[in-house]
Amino acid sequence: MKKFNNYLFVLGLIGFIGLFLSCNKPFEGVTAIVSNSYIKQRISVQVTDANPKATNPYPENPSITLSGDAVKKGLIYTGDGEPLTETPGNAKLVSNAITLAIKPNTTISDATPLKFKIEASAAGFITNSQDVIVRSSDSLQYVQVKLLKPTALPTGVTNVAAQDISVVNGTSSSPFVVKVTSAEPIPGGGTVTQTQVQATFPAATIFKDKLGAAINKSNLAINISNFNSSSQDAVESIGAGINNVITSTDPDPQSLLLAGAMKITATLGGTDVKSFSNPVPFEAFVDAQVFNPDTQANVKEGDTVPVWSKDEGSDLWVAEPSLTIVKDPNTGRLKANVPVTHLSWWCFGWRRPFCTPLLIIYNSSDFRNKVITAEANASEGNQFLLGKTQSMGKSGLILMNLPRVNYTIKVWENRGTSSQRLISTVNLKSCSATLTINDNPPANTNPSLYFDLQTSCKDGVFRYTGPIDYKLSSDSKWQAFTPSAGGTLTTTLLEWNKTYDFRIIYKGTEFRRSRQVLQSEFRQSGANWNFWGKDAAVKQTFFNAPTNCQ
């Protein structure tokens, strides 16, 4: 498939054709403005550590693979116009990031949006994937594919790695118990250690490989991770996610309203364990604030919860026998007793069909481009449902595929950064059609700075449209900056005298610059400060950008 045409030329010379025919250097004396603004839908992708407190937020040398109908149809490109396929390695990350684009002039219906999947992996991390849905109203989305490092987990994910359990020639010589615990806060301060998952392996358990053959080795290592349904970091780290899923009982995409989830792996003498000779009882404790949509109340003793399992790399959640919630006789806490037959992802939750997408209408008294995030939680319980982040100007639309349950919508600006601001919190009934958010931001304490990203290159001038990342030079994680539109932007994210790093990913290259924001290099014009530079006679460009217009 050919690369789509990515040049927009503005020629400031009459009689260009005659010049072209008569000169060896047809662009000499001509201003050629090259822009990538012809792209209407972009997706800015980062692969990150799921733990927001990680010292290094970026897994080393990650790789991604794209899949889905939109990829098969040749509609997904890089942000600079290279076609992408489902071949592993075809989409190349640059410093853990890539900008994707929808092929220009593609007709997208809000009723039948484009869909594709991004699967990411890295050594020492658990593979994860993220569904991407693109509608006609989506101009620039921000997507993070979060990978779990079993030795350094985020809040909401607890883990145990049990080593050197007594196993002789592939068979346990005596019963043993593996527990996953966490320190939970208690009223009045302090914490208490609570068991989240407990697995009891009977004596004479035989450990089998993927072909069902006994593994006649010793040195058993078991890894169990538990995922809290109320934690966004935890839910977004579940392999293949819980939204837009396909189950073995229904071919239509649905959502799983989560009660809990586990990831179970094991090796015996270095060989992966896939199954056991007999089911192993796992006790999975369930938060009492989990909402049960079947009873329209929080979960309680006697409730039935569907159970699902999914193999690594599979898109299908397979129905397992449903379970009844019971009370633990020692603690009084609720739990589900799960007979685990094979090692994979396991989750407990209710299938919920999607509503017609919720349309969030955003209006702001502030004209500048902003990064806006909408997050949805089940309002009667505590389950996290979905988050969506995209660029927004004075007005815009956010569409969210949500399950049939009442939900609470929170709308943020600059979510996850030091300058995040909660704009609105609204409770909505199931399948509400629209939500209007009128945003009147407080008076800016930071200056309103105007930048021109025009960059001269050998062929003329390049004007960039798309996402920009930034961070304080002392920080390690990139955040979404105010995006550029047609080579210009106005932002209030920067403070005087602080030093920031900025980057653009373009044509497989990271263009990066570190700059201190000095008031002496700006000229005030009304409410804005326009960047000029140190030389009062020559206006300068603040950012690096591609130096080759081709």
Side-chain angles (χ1 to χ4, degrees):
M1 183 175 293
K2 294 182 179 180
K3 177 177 177 177
F4 54 67
N5 181 12
N6 66 343
Y7 299 121
L8 171 65
F9 292 108
V10 180
L11 303 176
L13 184 66
I14 299 174
F16 169 67
I17 295 177
L19 177 66
F20 183 85
L21 294 175
S22 61
C23 297
N24 292 327
K25 298 180 180 180
F27 285 100
E28 187 173 359
V30 177
T31 299
I33 297 178
V34 183
S35 169
N36 61 340
S37 60
Y38 58 92
I39 299 172
K40 300 306 180 186
Q41 286 96 12
R42 292 179 175 84
I43 304 97
S44 178
V45 180
Q46 283 197 54
V47 177
T48 66
D49 191 315
N51 187 351
K53 297 180 180 179
T55 304
N56 177 9
Y58 298 104
E60 265 190 68
N61 300 318
S63 62
I64 63 170
T65 300
L66 307 183
S67 62
D69 287 344
V71 184
K72 289 183 175 73
K73 292 176 180 177
L75 301 179
I76 309 300
Y77 284 70
T78 65
D80 45 73
E82 296 294 339
L84 295 172
T85 68
E86 293 188 311
T87 304
N90 182 242
K92 299 185 185 302
L93 295 169
V94 178
S95 299
N96 290 60
I98 188 173
T99 298
L100 304 178
I102 305 303
K103 185 178 180 180
N105 302 317
T106 299
T107 300
I108 304 176
S109 164
D110 284 339
T112 56
L114 294 184
K115 299 178 183 180
F116 64 98
K117 178 174 291 185
I118 305 170
E119 182 178 274
S121 60
F125 289 79
I126 298 174
T127 298
N128 196 10
S129 59
Q130 178 78 46
D131 287 318
V132 180
I133 298 176
V134 182
R135 293 182 167 85
S136 58
S137 58
D138 296 327
S139 58
L140 171 57
Q141 291 189 59
Y142 297 89
V143 172
Q144 284 192 44
V145 187
K146 300 179 179 180
L147 301 185
L148 282 172
K149 189 174 187 178
T151 56
L153 297 167
T155 301
V157 184
T158 47
N159 170 271
V160 65
Q163 303 285 339
D164 299 325
I165 295 168
S166 178
V167 174
V168 179
N169 295 328
T171 305
S172 57
S173 56
S174 60
F176 64 91
V177 173
V178 180
K179 286 186 180 182
V180 179
T181 62
S182 64
E184 299 297 324
I186 55 178
T191 60
V192 61
T193 299
Q194 289 187 340
T195 298
Q196 302 300 340
V197 177
Q198 178 171 302
T200 303
F201 290 77
T205 298
I206 299 173
F207 299 85
K208 300 181 179 182
D209 62 18
K210 62 182 180 180
L211 299 177
I215 305 171
N216 295 318
K217 297 180 180 180
S218 302
N219 299 320
L220 177 68
I222 297 176
N223 193 295
I224 304 171
S225 298
N226 180 70
F227 297 79
N228 188 309
S229 62
S230 66
S231 166
Q232 179 175 354
D233 288 326
V235 172
E236 291 183 341
S237 301
I238 296 173
I242 59 169
N243 284 293
N244 197 39
V245 301
I246 302 296
T247 69
S248 61
T249 58
D250 196 326
D252 295 325
Q254 299 196 32
S255 178
L256 294 177
L257 188 60
L258 199 65
M262 302 183 297
K263 167 73 171 178
I264 312 168
T265 60
T267 59
L268 185 56
T271 299
D272 289 338
V273 177
K274 184 59 181 175
S275 62
F276 311 117
S277 54
N278 297 293
V280 173
F282 275 61
E283 299 170 71
F285 286 84
V286 178
D287 191 327
Q289 298 302 309
V290 163
F291 179 70
N292 180 346
D294 290 343
T295 62
Q296 290 294 299
N298 285 351
V299 70
K300 63 183 184 303
E301 185 179 14
D303 281 4
T304 299
V305 183
V307 180
W308 314 88
S309 69
K310 184 180 70 62
D311 288 334
E312 194 76 52
S314 170
D315 290 332
L316 185 68
W317 284 101
V318 177
E320 303 283 350
S322 295
L323 299 175
T324 300
I325 297 295
V326 299
K327 275 190 179 180
D328 181 73
N330 298 317
T331 64
R333 295 170 61 208
L334 300 176
K335 67 180 181 180
N337 295 317
V338 188
V340 171
T341 55
H342 58 280
L343 303 189
S344 62
W345 286 96
W346 288 75
C347 81
F348 333 106
W350 299 267
R351 280 188 307 115
R352 303 299 294 167
F354 286 122
C355 304
T356 300
L358 170 67
L359 174 63
I360 300 176
I361 303 168
Y362 174 84
N363 298 304
S364 175
S365 58
D366 187 354
F367 70 90
R368 63 189 169 85
N369 281 332
K370 298 167 285 295
V371 178
I372 299 297
T373 298
E375 295 173 350
N377 281 67
S379 55
E380 284 95 349
N382 61 1
Q383 293 109 308
F384 176 77
L385 301 176
L386 180 66
K388 186 173 182 180
T389 301
Q390 61 190 71
S391 174
M392 203 74 70
K394 187 176 176 62
S395 62
L397 306 175
I398 302 175
L399 283 99
M400 301 180 74
N401 266 45
L402 295 170
R404 293 184 182 176
V405 62
N406 296 340
Y407 29 76
T408 299
I409 304 293
K410 291 187 175 182
V411 179
W412 301 79
E413 181 182 4
N414 303 323
R415 179 65 160 143
T417 73
S418 59
S419 59
Q420 73 176 19
R421 176 175 65 93
L422 179 60
I423 298 171
S424 182
T425 300
V426 182
N427 292 320
L428 294 176
K429 293 294 184 182
S430 175
C431 293
S432 295
T434 60
L435 169 64
T436 298
I437 301 294
N438 293 313
D439 182 16
N440 296 301
N444 291 321
T445 56
N446 295 341
S448 180
L449 305 180
Y450 171 82
F451 294 103
D452 190 332
L453 276 64
Q454 175 172 299
T455 301
S456 296
C457 52
K458 67 179 182 180
D459 306 305
V461 169
F462 179 80
R463 302 191 67 82
Y464 173 76
T465 293
I468 300 172
D469 298 326
Y470 87 118
K471 63 183 180 66
L472 280 169
S473 292
S474 57
D475 291 346
S476 56
K477 187 170 184 179
W478 294 101
Q479 305 289 352
F481 189 58
T482 303
S484 170
T488 65
L489 65 90
T490 301
T491 185
T492 57
L493 294 179
L494 306 179
E495 299 179 46
W496 294 128
N497 303 318
K498 290 191 175 181
T499 301
Y500 298 89
D501 295 335
F502 302 88
R503 73 172 183 180
I504 293 169
I505 307 295
Y506 186 74
K507 292 198 172 184
T509 302
E510 179 185 59
F511 296 92
R512 183 168 171 174
R513 191 166 190 180
S514 180
R515 289 298 302 262
Q516 186 178 17
V517 184
L518 298 173
Q519 187 171 341
S520 61
E521 296 186 6
F522 290 78
R523 295 184 178 182
Q524 191 165 18
S525 175
N528 291 332
W529 292 82
N530 297 342
F531 179 74
W532 192 268
K534 295 179 180 179
D535 187 346
V538 181
K539 192 174 188 301
Q540 300 166 41
T541 300
F542 188 81
F543 298 100
N544 266 5
T547 56
N548 181 1
C549 290
Q550 299 298 322

